[in-house]
Amino acid sequence: MKIKILTLFPQMIEGIFKESILKRAIDKGVCSVELINIRDYSTNKHHHVDDTPYGGGAGMILACDVVDRAITAAITKDSYKILMTPQGRPYSQVLAKELSLKKELVLICGHYEGFDERIRSYVDEEISIGDFVLTGGELAACAVVDSVIRLLENAIKKESFLDDSFSNGLLEYPQYTRPVEYKGKMVPEVLVNGNHKLIREYRLKESLRRTYLRRPDLLENKEFTKEEKALLEAIKEETK
């Protein structure tokens, strides 16, 4: 997969792709990440990329002509163009999976007070990572890219994300490692007894329990198996 991030501040985020799983995925050729400076496409002698808003108001607005030139130079026939904006489609693991199937992603980061409304017509989708406002789209774009790359083949072991929170509509079950006892707190016995059937049942039940207690909204439209229904009923009785 090819990923291109259009930003006014490439140095703000370039370090993210030089560490950990993202760096290894890039080094292995699983994906490529290119940072494109929108300012390079300004025709103003001072390289201005913004202007005051028509109708008045605070702040500066990212100009549509500059962004249009940057997008035009970056895209190919395979590009899927995404505008990072708090007004976009709420981001989710489901959407991350959808994007991981694309051949090329082009993410456009806004900045300053906002962007010219006409920029919306240049993209395929608008995405928001939450109901809050950042100073720019850079951190949001990095969150999207990180979540997508880890789903790509050979980026990490498939088993590492199959049980991730939200992957099956539930929050992930609690995890433990050595030592078995620490400051009086024990690893649940079921996890150290080697019975894989009981471990699977425990993890499913705790995943349901955690979702029921912390994110009951995730259960509203979930299709439950017979086993999940029985476990959830037991959880409700236990938490009365």
PDB file of all heavy atoms in Angstrom, residues 112-149:
ATOM      1  N   TYR A 112      -4.877  25.651  10.935  1.00  0.00           N
ATOM      2  CA  TYR A 112      -5.372  26.995  11.218  1.00  0.00           C
ATOM      3  C   TYR A 112      -6.849  26.929  11.616  1.00  0.00           C
ATOM      4  O   TYR A 112      -7.295  25.970  12.235  1.00  0.00           O
ATOM      5  CB  TYR A 112      -5.126  27.931  10.035  1.00  0.00           C
ATOM      6  CG  TYR A 112      -3.675  27.956   9.613  1.00  0.00           C
ATOM      7  CD1 TYR A 112      -3.291  27.673   8.307  1.00  0.00           C
ATOM      8  CD2 TYR A 112      -2.669  28.210  10.546  1.00  0.00           C
ATOM      9  CE1 TYR A 112      -1.959  27.673   7.930  1.00  0.00           C
ATOM     10  CE2 TYR A 112      -1.330  28.212  10.181  1.00  0.00           C
ATOM     11  CZ  TYR A 112      -0.981  27.948   8.872  1.00  0.00           C
ATOM     12  OH  TYR A 112       0.328  27.928   8.514  1.00  0.00           O
ATOM     13  N   GLU A 113      -7.636  27.927  11.246  1.00  0.00           N
ATOM     14  CA  GLU A 113      -9.029  27.986  11.677  1.00  0.00           C
ATOM     15  C   GLU A 113      -9.901  26.981  10.923  1.00  0.00           C
ATOM     16  O   GLU A 113     -10.914  26.546  11.415  1.00  0.00           O
ATOM     17  CB  GLU A 113      -9.567  29.410  11.479  1.00  0.00           C
ATOM     18  CG  GLU A 113     -11.012  29.611  11.887  1.00  0.00           C
ATOM     19  CD  GLU A 113     -11.249  29.341  13.374  1.00  0.00           C
ATOM     20  OE1 GLU A 113     -10.291  29.466  14.167  1.00  0.00           O
ATOM     21  OE2 GLU A 113     -12.389  29.013  13.734  1.00  0.00           O
ATOM     22  N   GLY A 114      -9.490  26.602   9.733  1.00  0.00           N
ATOM     23  CA  GLY A 114     -10.285  25.676   8.929  1.00  0.00           C
ATOM     24  C   GLY A 114      -9.794  25.688   7.491  1.00  0.00           C
ATOM     25  O   GLY A 114      -8.694  26.159   7.197  1.00  0.00           O
ATOM     26  N   PHE A 115     -10.621  25.175   6.597  1.00  0.00           N
ATOM     27  CA  PHE A 115     -10.248  25.157   5.187  1.00  0.00           C
ATOM     28  C   PHE A 115     -11.420  25.615   4.327  1.00  0.00           C
ATOM     29  O   PHE A 115     -12.585  25.530   4.719  1.00  0.00           O
ATOM     30  CB  PHE A 115      -9.782  23.752   4.768  1.00  0.00           C
ATOM     31  CG  PHE A 115     -10.719  22.657   5.179  1.00  0.00           C
ATOM     32  CD1 PHE A 115     -11.867  22.393   4.450  1.00  0.00           C
ATOM     33  CD2 PHE A 115     -10.458  21.893   6.301  1.00  0.00           C
ATOM     34  CE1 PHE A 115     -12.738  21.393   4.827  1.00  0.00           C
ATOM     35  CE2 PHE A 115     -11.325  20.882   6.697  1.00  0.00           C
ATOM     36  CZ  PHE A 115     -12.470  20.641   5.952  1.00  0.00           C
ATOM     37  N   ASP A 116     -11.085  26.102   3.156  1.00  0.00           N
ATOM     38  CA  ASP A 116     -12.098  26.545   2.204  1.00  0.00           C
ATOM     39  C   ASP A 116     -13.060  25.386   1.921  1.00  0.00           C
ATOM     40  O   ASP A 116     -12.641  24.262   1.656  1.00  0.00           O
ATOM     41  CB  ASP A 116     -11.415  26.994   0.907  1.00  0.00           C
ATOM     42  CG  ASP A 116     -12.363  27.686  -0.049  1.00  0.00           C
ATOM     43  OD1 ASP A 116     -13.340  27.029  -0.487  1.00  0.00           O
ATOM     44  OD2 ASP A 116     -12.122  28.853  -0.388  1.00  0.00           O
ATOM     45  N   GLU A 117     -14.350  25.656   2.007  1.00  0.00           N
ATOM     46  CA  GLU A 117     -15.378  24.621   1.843  1.00  0.00           C
ATOM     47  C   GLU A 117     -15.238  23.858   0.534  1.00  0.00           C
ATOM     48  O   GLU A 117     -15.573  22.668   0.448  1.00  0.00           O
ATOM     49  CB  GLU A 117     -16.762  25.272   1.924  1.00  0.00           C
ATOM     50  CG  GLU A 117     -17.931  24.324   1.825  1.00  0.00           C
ATOM     51  CD  GLU A 117     -18.086  23.422   3.044  1.00  0.00           C
ATOM     52  OE1 GLU A 117     -17.448  23.724   4.086  1.00  0.00           O
ATOM     53  OE2 GLU A 117     -18.844  22.433   2.971  1.00  0.00           O
ATOM     54  N   ARG A 118     -14.716  24.507  -0.506  1.00  0.00           N
ATOM     55  CA  ARG A 118     -14.612  23.863  -1.815  1.00  0.00           C
ATOM     56  C   ARG A 118     -13.618  22.709  -1.829  1.00  0.00           C
ATOM     57  O   ARG A 118     -13.658  21.853  -2.720  1.00  0.00           O
ATOM     58  CB  ARG A 118     -14.243  24.914  -2.863  1.00  0.00           C
ATOM     59  CG  ARG A 118     -15.379  25.897  -3.146  1.00  0.00           C
ATOM     60  CD  ARG A 118     -14.936  27.112  -3.906  1.00  0.00           C
ATOM     61  NE  ARG A 118     -14.107  28.009  -3.069  1.00  0.00           N
ATOM     62  CZ  ARG A 118     -13.719  29.215  -3.456  1.00  0.00           C
ATOM     63  NH1 ARG A 118     -14.073  29.682  -4.655  1.00  0.00           N
ATOM     64  NH2 ARG A 118     -13.000  29.978  -2.648  1.00  0.00           N
ATOM     65  N   ILE A 119     -12.737  22.644  -0.826  1.00  0.00           N
ATOM     66  CA  ILE A 119     -11.774  21.540  -0.745  1.00  0.00           C
ATOM     67  C   ILE A 119     -12.499  20.212  -0.567  1.00  0.00           C
ATOM     68  O   ILE A 119     -12.027  19.167  -1.018  1.00  0.00           O
ATOM     69  CB  ILE A 119     -10.779  21.788   0.411  1.00  0.00           C
ATOM     70  CG1 ILE A 119      -9.876  22.993   0.072  1.00  0.00           C
ATOM     71  CG2 ILE A 119      -9.923  20.556   0.692  1.00  0.00           C
ATOM     72  CD1 ILE A 119      -8.965  23.419   1.208  1.00  0.00           C
ATOM     73  N   ARG A 120     -13.679  20.234   0.069  1.00  0.00           N
ATOM     74  CA  ARG A 120     -14.440  19.002   0.275  1.00  0.00           C
ATOM     75  C   ARG A 120     -14.744  18.283  -1.039  1.00  0.00           C
ATOM     76  O   ARG A 120     -14.860  17.052  -1.068  1.00  0.00           O
ATOM     77  CB  ARG A 120     -15.749  19.296   1.002  1.00  0.00           C
ATOM     78  CG  ARG A 120     -15.584  19.850   2.403  1.00  0.00           C
ATOM     79  CD  ARG A 120     -16.953  20.017   3.068  1.00  0.00           C
ATOM     80  NE  ARG A 120     -16.861  20.770   4.315  1.00  0.00           N
ATOM     81  CZ  ARG A 120     -16.561  20.245   5.501  1.00  0.00           C
ATOM     82  NH1 ARG A 120     -16.315  18.958   5.589  1.00  0.00           N
ATOM     83  NH2 ARG A 120     -16.510  21.006   6.584  1.00  0.00           N
ATOM     84  N   SER A 121     -14.883  19.033  -2.101  1.00  0.00           N
ATOM     85  CA  SER A 121     -15.245  18.425  -3.389  1.00  0.00           C
ATOM     86  C   SER A 121     -14.080  17.694  -4.038  1.00  0.00           C
ATOM     87  O   SER A 121     -14.264  16.994  -5.039  1.00  0.00           O
ATOM     88  CB  SER A 121     -15.767  19.508  -4.351  1.00  0.00           C
ATOM     89  OG  SER A 121     -14.743  20.451  -4.660  1.00  0.00           O
ATOM     90  N   TYR A 122     -12.885  17.815  -3.482  1.00  0.00           N
ATOM     91  CA  TYR A 122     -11.704  17.178  -4.071  1.00  0.00           C
ATOM     92  C   TYR A 122     -11.405  15.810  -3.460  1.00  0.00           C
ATOM     93  O   TYR A 122     -10.456  15.146  -3.872  1.00  0.00           O
ATOM     94  CB  TYR A 122     -10.460  18.058  -3.883  1.00  0.00           C
ATOM     95  CG  TYR A 122     -10.595  19.483  -4.381  1.00  0.00           C
ATOM     96  CD1 TYR A 122      -9.921  20.522  -3.741  1.00  0.00           C
ATOM     97  CD2 TYR A 122     -11.398  19.800  -5.461  1.00  0.00           C
ATOM     98  CE1 TYR A 122     -10.040  21.838  -4.177  1.00  0.00           C
ATOM     99  CE2 TYR A 122     -11.527  21.109  -5.900  1.00  0.00           C
ATOM    100  CZ  TYR A 122     -10.845  22.114  -5.250  1.00  0.00           C
ATOM    101  OH  TYR A 122     -10.958  23.410  -5.682  1.00  0.00           O
ATOM    102  N   VAL A 123     -12.196  15.387  -2.457  1.00  0.00           N
ATOM    103  CA  VAL A 123     -11.864  14.158  -1.733  1.00  0.00           C
ATOM    104  C   VAL A 123     -12.973  13.119  -1.872  1.00  0.00           C
ATOM    105  O   VAL A 123     -14.103  13.419  -2.272  1.00  0.00           O
ATOM    106  CB  VAL A 123     -11.596  14.441  -0.240  1.00  0.00           C
ATOM    107  CG1 VAL A 123     -10.485  15.467  -0.093  1.00  0.00           C
ATOM    108  CG2 VAL A 123     -12.858  14.917   0.474  1.00  0.00           C
ATOM    109  N   ASP A 124     -12.636  11.874  -1.507  1.00  0.00           N
ATOM    110  CA  ASP A 124     -13.602  10.772  -1.566  1.00  0.00           C
ATOM    111  C   ASP A 124     -14.323  10.573  -0.241  1.00  0.00           C
ATOM    112  O   ASP A 124     -15.425  10.041  -0.207  1.00  0.00           O
ATOM    113  CB  ASP A 124     -12.880   9.469  -1.938  1.00  0.00           C
ATOM    114  CG  ASP A 124     -12.205   9.551  -3.294  1.00  0.00           C
ATOM    115  OD1 ASP A 124     -12.904   9.815  -4.289  1.00  0.00           O
ATOM    116  OD2 ASP A 124     -10.975   9.368  -3.352  1.00  0.00           O
ATOM    117  N   GLU A 125     -13.673  10.991   0.843  1.00  0.00           N
ATOM    118  CA  GLU A 125     -14.265  10.771   2.162  1.00  0.00           C
ATOM    119  C   GLU A 125     -13.693  11.757   3.164  1.00  0.00           C
ATOM    120  O   GLU A 125     -12.556  12.198   3.039  1.00  0.00           O
ATOM    121  CB  GLU A 125     -14.009   9.338   2.640  1.00  0.00           C
ATOM    122  CG  GLU A 125     -14.579   9.030   4.005  1.00  0.00           C
ATOM    123  CD  GLU A 125     -14.920   7.576   4.216  1.00  0.00           C
ATOM    124  OE1 GLU A 125     -14.401   6.722   3.464  1.00  0.00           O
ATOM    125  OE2 GLU A 125     -15.703   7.292   5.131  1.00  0.00           O
ATOM    126  N   GLU A 126     -14.517  12.096   4.163  1.00  0.00           N
ATOM    127  CA  GLU A 126     -14.069  12.911   5.290  1.00  0.00           C
ATOM    128  C   GLU A 126     -14.125  12.046   6.544  1.00  0.00           C
ATOM    129  O   GLU A 126     -15.106  11.338   6.771  1.00  0.00           O
ATOM    130  CB  GLU A 126     -14.964  14.135   5.462  1.00  0.00           C
ATOM    131  CG  GLU A 126     -14.983  15.044   4.241  1.00  0.00           C
ATOM    132  CD  GLU A 126     -15.944  16.206   4.391  1.00  0.00           C
ATOM    133  OE1 GLU A 126     -16.216  16.603   5.550  1.00  0.00           O
ATOM    134  OE2 GLU A 126     -16.434  16.712   3.369  1.00  0.00           O
ATOM    135  N   ILE A 127     -13.060  12.111   7.353  1.00  0.00           N
ATOM    136  CA  ILE A 127     -12.969  11.258   8.538  1.00  0.00           C
ATOM    137  C   ILE A 127     -12.664  12.086   9.774  1.00  0.00           C
ATOM    138  O   ILE A 127     -11.842  12.998   9.743  1.00  0.00           O
ATOM    139  CB  ILE A 127     -11.877  10.179   8.350  1.00  0.00           C
ATOM    140  CG1 ILE A 127     -12.357   9.136   7.323  1.00  0.00           C
ATOM    141  CG2 ILE A 127     -11.535   9.504   9.665  1.00  0.00           C
ATOM    142  CD1 ILE A 127     -11.329   8.058   7.030  1.00  0.00           C
ATOM    143  N   SER A 128     -13.335  11.742  10.874  1.00  0.00           N
ATOM    144  CA  SER A 128     -13.086  12.350  12.176  1.00  0.00           C
ATOM    145  C   SER A 128     -12.663  11.265  13.148  1.00  0.00           C
ATOM    146  O   SER A 128     -13.226  10.166  13.145  1.00  0.00           O
ATOM    147  CB  SER A 128     -14.357  13.022  12.693  1.00  0.00           C
ATOM    148  OG  SER A 128     -14.243  13.344  14.066  1.00  0.00           O
ATOM    149  N   ILE A 129     -11.674  11.542  14.004  1.00  0.00           N
ATOM    150  CA  ILE A 129     -11.271  10.550  15.008  1.00  0.00           C
ATOM    151  C   ILE A 129     -11.945  10.792  16.349  1.00  0.00           C
ATOM    152  O   ILE A 129     -11.656  10.092  17.317  1.00  0.00           O
ATOM    153  CB  ILE A 129      -9.735  10.504  15.184  1.00  0.00           C
ATOM    154  CG1 ILE A 129      -9.202  11.831  15.731  1.00  0.00           C
ATOM    155  CG2 ILE A 129      -9.050  10.116  13.885  1.00  0.00           C
ATOM    156  CD1 ILE A 129      -7.770  11.736  16.232  1.00  0.00           C
ATOM    157  N   GLY A 130     -12.859  11.754  16.415  1.00  0.00           N
ATOM    158  CA  GLY A 130     -13.572  11.981  17.665  1.00  0.00           C
ATOM    159  C   GLY A 130     -14.231  13.336  17.722  1.00  0.00           C
ATOM    160  O   GLY A 130     -13.961  14.211  16.882  1.00  0.00           O
ATOM    161  N   ASP A 131     -15.091  13.506  18.699  1.00  0.00           N
ATOM    162  CA  ASP A 131     -15.834  14.758  18.849  1.00  0.00           C
ATOM    163  C   ASP A 131     -15.017  15.777  19.629  1.00  0.00           C
ATOM    164  O   ASP A 131     -15.380  16.181  20.751  1.00  0.00           O
ATOM    165  CB  ASP A 131     -17.170  14.494  19.542  1.00  0.00           C
ATOM    166  CG  ASP A 131     -18.089  13.628  18.703  1.00  0.00           C
ATOM    167  OD1 ASP A 131     -17.868  13.534  17.481  1.00  0.00           O
ATOM    168  OD2 ASP A 131     -19.030  13.045  19.266  1.00  0.00           O
ATOM    169  N   PHE A 132     -13.903  16.173  19.045  1.00  0.00           N
ATOM    170  CA  PHE A 132     -13.053  17.207  19.637  1.00  0.00           C
ATOM    171  C   PHE A 132     -12.260  17.839  18.499  1.00  0.00           C
ATOM    172  O   PHE A 132     -12.235  17.326  17.376  1.00  0.00           O
ATOM    173  CB  PHE A 132     -12.109  16.624  20.699  1.00  0.00           C
ATOM    174  CG  PHE A 132     -11.303  15.455  20.212  1.00  0.00           C
ATOM    175  CD1 PHE A 132     -10.073  15.636  19.609  1.00  0.00           C
ATOM    176  CD2 PHE A 132     -11.783  14.165  20.348  1.00  0.00           C
ATOM    177  CE1 PHE A 132      -9.327  14.560  19.156  1.00  0.00           C
ATOM    178  CE2 PHE A 132     -11.044  13.076  19.899  1.00  0.00           C
ATOM    179  CZ  PHE A 132      -9.817  13.271  19.300  1.00  0.00           C
ATOM    180  N   VAL A 133     -11.639  18.961  18.779  1.00  0.00           N
ATOM    181  CA  VAL A 133     -10.933  19.705  17.744  1.00  0.00           C
ATOM    182  C   VAL A 133      -9.450  19.795  18.073  1.00  0.00           C
ATOM    183  O   VAL A 133      -9.074  20.156  19.192  1.00  0.00           O
ATOM    184  CB  VAL A 133     -11.523  21.132  17.590  1.00  0.00           C
ATOM    185  CG1 VAL A 133     -10.759  21.914  16.533  1.00  0.00           C
ATOM    186  CG2 VAL A 133     -13.008  21.048  17.220  1.00  0.00           C
ATOM    187  N   LEU A 134      -8.615  19.456  17.100  1.00  0.00           N
ATOM    188  CA  LEU A 134      -7.162  19.570  17.220  1.00  0.00           C
ATOM    189  C   LEU A 134      -6.694  20.827  16.498  1.00  0.00           C
ATOM    190  O   LEU A 134      -7.453  21.458  15.756  1.00  0.00           O
ATOM    191  CB  LEU A 134      -6.487  18.344  16.601  1.00  0.00           C
ATOM    192  CG  LEU A 134      -6.830  16.996  17.242  1.00  0.00           C
ATOM    193  CD1 LEU A 134      -6.354  15.848  16.354  1.00  0.00           C
ATOM    194  CD2 LEU A 134      -6.199  16.895  18.614  1.00  0.00           C
ATOM    195  N   THR A 135      -5.430  21.191  16.684  1.00  0.00           N
ATOM    196  CA  THR A 135      -4.902  22.352  15.972  1.00  0.00           C
ATOM    197  C   THR A 135      -4.737  22.069  14.486  1.00  0.00           C
ATOM    198  O   THR A 135      -4.629  22.997  13.681  1.00  0.00           O
ATOM    199  CB  THR A 135      -3.539  22.767  16.552  1.00  0.00           C
ATOM    200  OG1 THR A 135      -2.651  21.644  16.522  1.00  0.00           O
ATOM    201  CG2 THR A 135      -3.684  23.242  17.984  1.00  0.00           C
ATOM    202  N   GLY A 136      -4.694  20.800  14.126  1.00  0.00           N
ATOM    203  CA  GLY A 136      -4.572  20.437  12.723  1.00  0.00           C
ATOM    204  C   GLY A 136      -4.871  18.966  12.545  1.00  0.00           C
ATOM    205  O   GLY A 136      -5.073  18.223  13.512  1.00  0.00           O
ATOM    206  N   GLY A 137      -4.868  18.507  11.312  1.00  0.00           N
ATOM    207  CA  GLY A 137      -5.222  17.122  11.027  1.00  0.00           C
ATOM    208  C   GLY A 137      -4.070  16.141  11.106  1.00  0.00           C
ATOM    209  O   GLY A 137      -4.260  14.944  10.873  1.00  0.00           O
ATOM    210  N   GLU A 138      -2.869  16.624  11.438  1.00  0.00           N
ATOM    211  CA  GLU A 138      -1.694  15.757  11.411  1.00  0.00           C
ATOM    212  C   GLU A 138      -1.789  14.572  12.378  1.00  0.00           C
ATOM    213  O   GLU A 138      -1.540  13.416  11.996  1.00  0.00           O
ATOM    214  CB  GLU A 138      -0.425  16.570  11.708  1.00  0.00           C
ATOM    215  CG  GLU A 138       0.040  17.442  10.568  1.00  0.00           C
ATOM    216  CD  GLU A 138      -0.771  18.718  10.409  1.00  0.00           C
ATOM    217  OE1 GLU A 138      -1.545  19.061  11.349  1.00  0.00           O
ATOM    218  OE2 GLU A 138      -0.646  19.387   9.357  1.00  0.00           O
ATOM    219  N   LEU A 139      -2.108  14.842  13.631  1.00  0.00           N
ATOM    220  CA  LEU A 139      -2.187  13.760  14.613  1.00  0.00           C
ATOM    221  C   LEU A 139      -3.314  12.795  14.276  1.00  0.00           C
ATOM    222  O   LEU A 139      -3.183  11.578  14.462  1.00  0.00           O
ATOM    223  CB  LEU A 139      -2.372  14.331  16.016  1.00  0.00           C
ATOM    224  CG  LEU A 139      -1.225  15.204  16.539  1.00  0.00           C
ATOM    225  CD1 LEU A 139      -1.541  15.713  17.937  1.00  0.00           C
ATOM    226  CD2 LEU A 139       0.083  14.422  16.553  1.00  0.00           C
ATOM    227  N   ALA A 140      -4.413  13.320  13.769  1.00  0.00           N
ATOM    228  CA  ALA A 140      -5.529  12.467  13.358  1.00  0.00           C
ATOM    229  C   ALA A 140      -5.119  11.568  12.192  1.00  0.00           C
ATOM    230  O   ALA A 140      -5.439  10.378  12.167  1.00  0.00           O
ATOM    231  CB  ALA A 140      -6.730  13.336  12.965  1.00  0.00           C
ATOM    232  N   ALA A 141      -4.406  12.135  11.229  1.00  0.00           N
ATOM    233  CA  ALA A 141      -3.947  11.348  10.085  1.00  0.00           C
ATOM    234  C   ALA A 141      -3.017  10.230  10.526  1.00  0.00           C
ATOM    235  O   ALA A 141      -3.099   9.099  10.040  1.00  0.00           O
ATOM    236  CB  ALA A 141      -3.246  12.256   9.075  1.00  0.00           C
ATOM    237  N   CYS A 142      -2.137  10.531  11.469  1.00  0.00           N
ATOM    238  CA  CYS A 142      -1.206   9.515  11.974  1.00  0.00           C
ATOM    239  C   CYS A 142      -1.953   8.391  12.680  1.00  0.00           C
ATOM    240  O   CYS A 142      -1.571   7.220  12.572  1.00  0.00           O
ATOM    241  CB  CYS A 142      -0.189  10.149  12.915  1.00  0.00           C
ATOM    242  SG  CYS A 142       1.036  11.176  12.080  1.00  0.00           S
ATOM    243  N   ALA A 143      -3.013   8.730  13.408  1.00  0.00           N
ATOM    244  CA  ALA A 143      -3.813   7.705  14.076  1.00  0.00           C
ATOM    245  C   ALA A 143      -4.450   6.775  13.048  1.00  0.00           C
ATOM    246  O   ALA A 143      -4.461   5.548  13.223  1.00  0.00           O
ATOM    247  CB  ALA A 143      -4.885   8.363  14.945  1.00  0.00           C
ATOM    248  N   VAL A 144      -4.965   7.346  11.980  1.00  0.00           N
ATOM    249  CA  VAL A 144      -5.573   6.540  10.918  1.00  0.00           C
ATOM    250  C   VAL A 144      -4.527   5.652  10.262  1.00  0.00           C
ATOM    251  O   VAL A 144      -4.727   4.442  10.075  1.00  0.00           O
ATOM    252  CB  VAL A 144      -6.255   7.449   9.872  1.00  0.00           C
ATOM    253  CG1 VAL A 144      -6.664   6.645   8.641  1.00  0.00           C
ATOM    254  CG2 VAL A 144      -7.467   8.138  10.481  1.00  0.00           C
ATOM    255  N   VAL A 145      -3.389   6.232   9.902  1.00  0.00           N
ATOM    256  CA  VAL A 145      -2.340   5.473   9.232  1.00  0.00           C
ATOM    257  C   VAL A 145      -1.832   4.338  10.111  1.00  0.00           C
ATOM    258  O   VAL A 145      -1.635   3.209   9.641  1.00  0.00           O
ATOM    259  CB  VAL A 145      -1.176   6.405   8.825  1.00  0.00           C
ATOM    260  CG1 VAL A 145       0.011   5.593   8.308  1.00  0.00           C
ATOM    261  CG2 VAL A 145      -1.649   7.380   7.742  1.00  0.00           C
ATOM    262  N   ASP A 146      -1.609   4.602  11.386  1.00  0.00           N
ATOM    263  CA  ASP A 146      -1.141   3.569  12.306  1.00  0.00           C
ATOM    264  C   ASP A 146      -2.125   2.403  12.348  1.00  0.00           C
ATOM    265  O   ASP A 146      -1.747   1.230  12.255  1.00  0.00           O
ATOM    266  CB  ASP A 146      -0.963   4.178  13.696  1.00  0.00           C
ATOM    267  CG  ASP A 146      -0.370   3.211  14.708  1.00  0.00           C
ATOM    268  OD1 ASP A 146      -0.995   2.157  14.960  1.00  0.00           O
ATOM    269  OD2 ASP A 146       0.704   3.495  15.247  1.00  0.00           O
ATOM    270  N   SER A 147      -3.410   2.716  12.492  1.00  0.00           N
ATOM    271  CA  SER A 147      -4.421   1.665  12.622  1.00  0.00           C
ATOM    272  C   SER A 147      -4.574   0.859  11.338  1.00  0.00           C
ATOM    273  O   SER A 147      -4.912  -0.329  11.381  1.00  0.00           O
ATOM    274  CB  SER A 147      -5.776   2.273  13.016  1.00  0.00           C
ATOM    275  OG  SER A 147      -6.265   3.128  11.994  1.00  0.00           O
ATOM    276  N   VAL A 148      -4.323   1.487  10.205  1.00  0.00           N
ATOM    277  CA  VAL A 148      -4.431   0.799   8.909  1.00  0.00           C
ATOM    278  C   VAL A 148      -3.212  -0.084   8.658  1.00  0.00           C
ATOM    279  O   VAL A 148      -3.338  -1.249   8.258  1.00  0.00           O
ATOM    280  CB  VAL A 148      -4.602   1.812   7.758  1.00  0.00           C
ATOM    281  CG1 VAL A 148      -4.420   1.129   6.399  1.00  0.00           C
ATOM    282  CG2 VAL A 148      -5.973   2.469   7.829  1.00  0.00           C
ATOM    283  N   ILE A 149      -2.026   0.442   8.892  1.00  0.00           N
ATOM    284  CA  ILE A 149      -0.801  -0.302   8.598  1.00  0.00           C
ATOM    285  C   ILE A 149      -0.745  -1.616   9.361  1.00  0.00           C
ATOM    286  O   ILE A 149      -0.346  -2.653   8.825  1.00  0.00           O
ATOM    287  CB  ILE A 149       0.446   0.557   8.892  1.00  0.00           C
ATOM    288  CG1 ILE A 149       0.595   1.654   7.829  1.00  0.00           C
ATOM    289  CG2 ILE A 149       1.710  -0.307   8.924  1.00  0.00           C
ATOM    290  CD1 ILE A 149       1.786   2.570   8.038  1.00  0.00           C
TER     291      ILE A 149
END
